[in-house]
Each structure stands twice: as structure tokens, then as C-alpha cells.
């Protein structure tokens, strides 16, 4: 197949992190736009990107891009693309779509036209007039933005935030991709202690363990493109062998999570076991204000309640005040990072953040408040 163009999609605010991860994999020609990172790779890049990118939502194969002001243009230009080289004759190829600020605003019509054009394009090479669509999944997307149509095929299948370890979770779990981003935006290193005092189902501690031992986030799951015949099994086997070769299972970690709800603690323990960190991660039922440790120069990351529900705000604000006082007194050498949508967090916490960054937790606009602790003394 040779070179391909890939698009790693990203939650708004995480594009720079995704771009950094892509470059760390060795891929260049990286372009960063709102919600996506585009880059050039090879077949192995499809495998490695799906296995390794911690902060991307999914990896799409870009088939073509062109201006389309009419349905006829959309049909003819879509038909001219090399679909038969990418989609096997028995593949299931549904079409999804979206349209923003474009003359072709009817998404359902665009989907139908693209589907018809792809079928017409594939008929000649595959020498058939009928496609059963009972084989591998090749989900096509037509995305129209300001009259420019981008045609892609999803290589991931299930979103990349689905790591495979979290079969059970809380009602409002933080996505694994956001959890990884929160950790990657800190100064934490594997040899440093790590605490999450609002651990819920354990996502932040588990993602920290994966990062700490350099374990690929996709090591425990499958991807749609594994069934594509033009990406050989050897390419996938080599990519998965790389994952195994570079993992540092001997790296010792000091990671602790706590939650006020004992059911959440049980969930976290079960998910940690599923991820392969059974006895390595420690969880305990406790309030954040009961947190004490003799460890120094660590990193504390939390996704506390935001106080958005009716009747919760006063209780949450009281907790923020006590939390700030406690951390300053009990954890003077620690760096603290808190994600919340509460606009008065800094005042309640009792200290302005060293730095803050806008992030989206689902559809909720939040701020990531970063309080940098002192540098540890040199040994």
C-alpha cells in the first residue's frame, strides 16, 4: 500500500498532546487542526497508532478531500477515489456523516450519495453488482466543513478510550483518553508517588500505571483494521510484539486511589485487576479530608465533584476549602492538579493556580488547575 494519510481525532484542547504522541512514534509531516491531527504513515502506522495513542479518540484513514457544492460533485468525486483498493468485496461499509457551514447540509442525503458512489466505484474492480456486506467493518465518514468534503475510513472500530479493562464503571466516569491527558500534563514520573483522592472506578490510577510501565493503552483490545486483508497479519504481529518488547513490567510504582464510596473502591480494584495491576495499585475508602501520607514530592491528581447538581454546590464548596487547607498543610512538597467546572475553585481552594488549562470533560467545559510543588533535592 505504501504511504497513507491518517487522521487522529482529538477532544478539543488535546490536539497538541495527540500531535506530541504522533511525533514520539516517529511520524512527521504532522498538521494540527481543531479536533484532529493529520500525518503521513505506512501500514504499520495504522497498527502502531491504534495501539499507542493514549489521548486520541480514534484513527481514521483519509481516502480523499475535495470541494463539493452540489450532490453531483459529491457523487462523481467520491466515485473517483480508490475505494476498491481499500474495501474488500465482502466488507460491511456503512456511511456516517456530518456537515458544518456547507451548501450540502442534509447529512442523510450526503450519506446516501456517498454510499451509492462507493458502490459504483467498487463494482468494476470486484466484478459484482451486489455486495453482501457480511465481512470486515470499514465504516466510511463523509465530513463536510465549509464546502470541503473529507472522506475517511475508521481504522479503530470501538473508540480508543475503550481500553478493555473497564467493564464496570461509575455513572459519570472520566474517559480514559482525558485521564491520560491529565497525567501527561503533569510533572509526574514513574518513580514518584501518585495519588487520586476521587478515584471512582480507578481510571486515573490505572492510566498512570500504564504510562509508568510504558504499556500501550491498546494492548488488551482489538481494532476494526485487524480484519482488513491489505494489512497483513505479520504487520499487526510485529506492532504487537513491539508493545511487548518495550513494556517495562519491572518498573515499581507507588500509586494510590481513594473514594468516599466503598462501591467505587470495589469497582476500582476489579478494574485494576482486569488491567493486570491487581496488587500493584492500592485503593481505600476514605474522604479526601482524611488523606495523610509521609511520602514527599509526589503528584496528586483529582476529578472532584463539580457541584453542578441542585443542592450539591454548598457541600462541594465546603470540601474545596477544606481540601486546599489540608493539602497546603499536609502535602507541602506535592504538586496538585484538579479538574473542575466550578469557576470559583481558586478562591475556594485558597490559592491561585500556577497554571491552568481549558479541557472538556464530555460536554462540560472545565479548567485544569495546576499547583506546582517544589523540586525534589538532588541525590
Amino acid at each position: 500500500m505504501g504511504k497513507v494519510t491518517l487522521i487522529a481525532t482529538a477532544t478539543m484542547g488535546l490536539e497538541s498532546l495527540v500531535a506530541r504522541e504522533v511525533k514520539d512514534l516517529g511520524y512527521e509531516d504532522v498538521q494540527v487542526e481543531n479536533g484532529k491531527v493529520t500525518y503521513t504513515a505506512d501500514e504499520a502506522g495504522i497498527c502502531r497508532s491504534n495501539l499507542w495513542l493514549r489521548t486520541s479518540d480514534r484513527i481514521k484513514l483519509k481516502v480523499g478531500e475535495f470541494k463539493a457544492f452540489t450532490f453531483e460533485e459529491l457523487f462523481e468525486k467520491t466515485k473517483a477515489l480508490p475505494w476498491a483498493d481499500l474495501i474488500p468485496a465482502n466488507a460491511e461499509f456503512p456511511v456516517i456523516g456530518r456537515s458544518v457551514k456547507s451548501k450540502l447540509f442534509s447529512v442523510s442525503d450526503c450519506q446516501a450519495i456517498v454510499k451509492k458512489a462507493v458502490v459504483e466505484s467498487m463494482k468494476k474492480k470486484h466484478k459484482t453488482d451486489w455486495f453482501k456486506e457480511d465481512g470486515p467493518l470499514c465504516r466510511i465518514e463523509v465530513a463536510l466543513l465549509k464546502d470541503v468534503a473529507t472522506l475517511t475510513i475508521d481504522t479503530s472500530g470501538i473508540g480508543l478510550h475503550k481500553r478493555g479493562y473497564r467493564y464496570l464503571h461509575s455513572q459519570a466516569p472520566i474517559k480514559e483518553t482525558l485521564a491520560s491527558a491529565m497525567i501527561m500534563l503533569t510533572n509526574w514520573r514513574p518513580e514518584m508517588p501518585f495519588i487520586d483522592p476521587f478515584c471512582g472506578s480507578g481510571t486515573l490510577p490505572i492510566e498512570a500505571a500504564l504510562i509508568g510501565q510504558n504499556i500501550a493503552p491498546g494492548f488488551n483490545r482489538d481494532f476494526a483494521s485487524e480484519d482488513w486483508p491489505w494489512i497483513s497479519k505479520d504487520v499487526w504481529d510485529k506492532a504487537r510484539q513491539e508493545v511487548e518488547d518495550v513494556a517495562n513490567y519491572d518498573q515499581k510504582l507507588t500509586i494510590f486511589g481513594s473514594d468516599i464510596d466503598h462501591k467505587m473502591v470495589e469497582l476500582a480494584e476489579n478494574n485494576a485487576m482486569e488491567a493486570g495491576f491487581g496488587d500493584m495499585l492500592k485503593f481505600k475508602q476514605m474522604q479526601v479530608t482524611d488523606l495523610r501520607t509521609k511520602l514527599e514530592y509526589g503528584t496528586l491528581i483529582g476529578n472532584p465533584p463539580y457541584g453542578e447538581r441542585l443542592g450539591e454546590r454548598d457541600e462541594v464548596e465546603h470540601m474545596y476549602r477544606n481540601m486546599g487547607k489540608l493539602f497546603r498543610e499536609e502535602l507541602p512538597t506535592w504538586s496538585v492538579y484538579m479538574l473542575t467546572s466550578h469557576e470559583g475553585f481558586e478562591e475556594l481552594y485558597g490559592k491561585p493556580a500556577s497554571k491552568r488549562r481549558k479541557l472538556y470533560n464530555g460536554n462540560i467545559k472545565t479548567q485544569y488547575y495546576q499547583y506546582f510543588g517544589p523540586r525534589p533535592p538532588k541525590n
Side-chain angles (χ1 to χ4, degrees):
M1 177 58 66
K3 295 294 183 182
V4 294
T5 300
L6 300 179
I7 298 174
T9 63
T11 301
M12 192 174 297
L14 300 186
E15 296 92 343
S16 61
L17 277 179
V18 174
R20 188 175 87 191
E21 288 194 89
V22 169
K23 291 175 183 176
D24 286 345
L25 284 177
Y27 303 113
E28 299 177 351
D29 189 26
V30 178
Q31 300 174 27
V32 182
E33 301 173 69
N34 287 339
K36 65 180 183 180
V37 175
T38 305
Y39 56 104
T40 302
D42 52 11
E43 294 170 31
I46 295 174
C47 313
R48 298 180 70 233
S49 297
N50 276 296
L51 286 165
W52 279 106
L53 295 188
R54 300 181 190 278
T55 56
S56 174
D57 293 321
R58 60 180 62 247
I59 309 300
K60 299 176 182 179
L61 172 65
K62 183 176 176 181
V63 184
E65 187 172 271
F66 49 80
K67 288 187 177 181
F69 299 99
T70 66
F71 288 130
E72 184 179 359
E73 273 189 298
L74 179 62
F75 178 83
E76 293 298 337
K77 292 179 179 180
T78 299
K79 182 182 174 183
L81 296 173
W83 296 104
D85 294 338
L86 303 168
I87 301 177
N90 67 332
E92 178 187 358
F93 54 104
V95 179
I96 61 171
R98 52 195 170 93
S99 179
V100 179
K101 298 179 181 179
S102 298
K103 287 185 173 62
L104 302 180
F105 57 85
S106 173
V107 173
S108 59
D109 285 339
C110 290
Q111 289 174 216
I113 287 165
V114 167
K115 178 77 173 187
K116 184 178 179 181
V118 173
V119 169
E120 290 300 316
S121 176
M122 292 172 59
K123 276 182 179 180
K124 187 174 182 181
K125 182 167 183 177
H126 291 312
K127 297 178 181 178
T128 181
D129 290 328
W130 177 254
F131 298 96
K132 291 184 178 180
E133 297 198 48
D134 58 357
L137 177 64
C138 297
R139 189 177 67 177
I140 299 167
E141 181 183 58
V142 51
L144 285 146
L145 175 62
K146 297 180 180 179
D147 300 312
V148 175
T150 304
L151 279 296
T152 59
I153 304 176
D154 173 33
T155 75
S156 301
I158 299 171
L160 295 183
H161 70 284
K162 297 284 189 180
R163 313 293 207 213
Y165 62 75
R166 198 169 70 176
Y167 292 102
L168 300 171
H169 54 73
S170 56
Q171 288 183 343
I174 189 171
K175 284 178 71 172
E176 294 88 331
T177 44
L178 177 58
S180 276
M182 290 168 65
I183 297 163
M184 292 167 67
L185 289 169
T186 74
N187 63 352
W188 182 72
R189 298 187 304 277
E191 61 271 17
M192 298 166 62
F194 178 103
I195 291 177
D196 173 10
F198 305 97
C199 70
S201 53
T203 306
L204 273 162
I206 293 171
E207 291 296 317
L210 290 171
I211 292 170
Q213 291 195 337
N214 197 35
I215 297 172
F219 82 104
N220 198 31
R221 54 158 289 177
D222 300 321
F223 306 95
S225 48
E226 285 187 79
D227 295 324
W228 295 359
W230 58 270
I231 305 178
S232 74
K233 184 177 180 296
D234 289 343
V235 175
W236 273 104
D237 288 346
K238 186 176 180 180
R240 289 195 178 275
Q241 187 60 50
E242 177 193 18
V243 167
E244 193 66 29
D245 290 343
V246 301
N248 185 8
Y249 298 116
D250 295 328
Q251 174 66 54
K252 293 183 178 179
L253 301 170
T254 304
I255 297 176
F256 175 76
S258 63
D259 199 281
I260 194 171
D261 187 343
H262 72 91
K263 292 181 180 178
M264 290 298 100
V265 172
E266 290 177 9
L267 273 180
E269 290 174 338
N270 289 335
N271 288 335
M273 187 74 70
E274 191 65 38
F277 301 115
D279 297 327
M280 193 177 304
L281 309 185
K282 306 299 180 185
F283 297 96
K284 184 178 180 181
Q285 179 194 6
M286 61 187 291
Q287 298 184 69
V288 63
T289 48
D290 292 332
L291 179 62
R292 301 289 188 279
T293 181
K294 294 181 180 179
L295 298 171
E296 295 183 303
Y297 302 102
T299 298
L300 185 149
I301 306 179
N303 178 38
Y306 300 166
E308 294 193 330
R309 293 179 183 174
L310 195 64
E312 284 186 352
R313 196 170 183 86
D314 289 345
E315 184 180 347
V316 165
E317 290 181 349
H318 180 69
M319 181 187 67
Y320 287 172
R321 290 189 187 95
N322 290 339
M323 188 171 67
K325 185 174 183 294
L326 171 74
F327 292 169
R328 287 192 295 276
E329 292 176 356
E330 297 292 332
L331 304 172
T333 65
W334 283 62
S335 294
V336 175
Y337 302 82
M338 287 287 152
L339 184 76
T340 178
S341 64
H342 196 303
E343 294 181 356
F345 177 80
E346 287 172 298
E347 183 178 350
L348 294 165
Y349 188 80
K351 186 180 179 181
S354 310
K355 188 178 180 181
R356 64 182 187 174
R357 181 173 180 142
K358 183 169 70 175
L359 296 175
Y360 282 86
N361 185 0
N363 294 322
I364 302 173
K365 185 174 74 172
T366 64
Q367 292 286 342
Y368 193 36
Y369 296 95
Q370 305 170 54
Y371 294 89
F372 304 146
R375 292 179 179 272
K378 292 182 178 180
N379 293 330

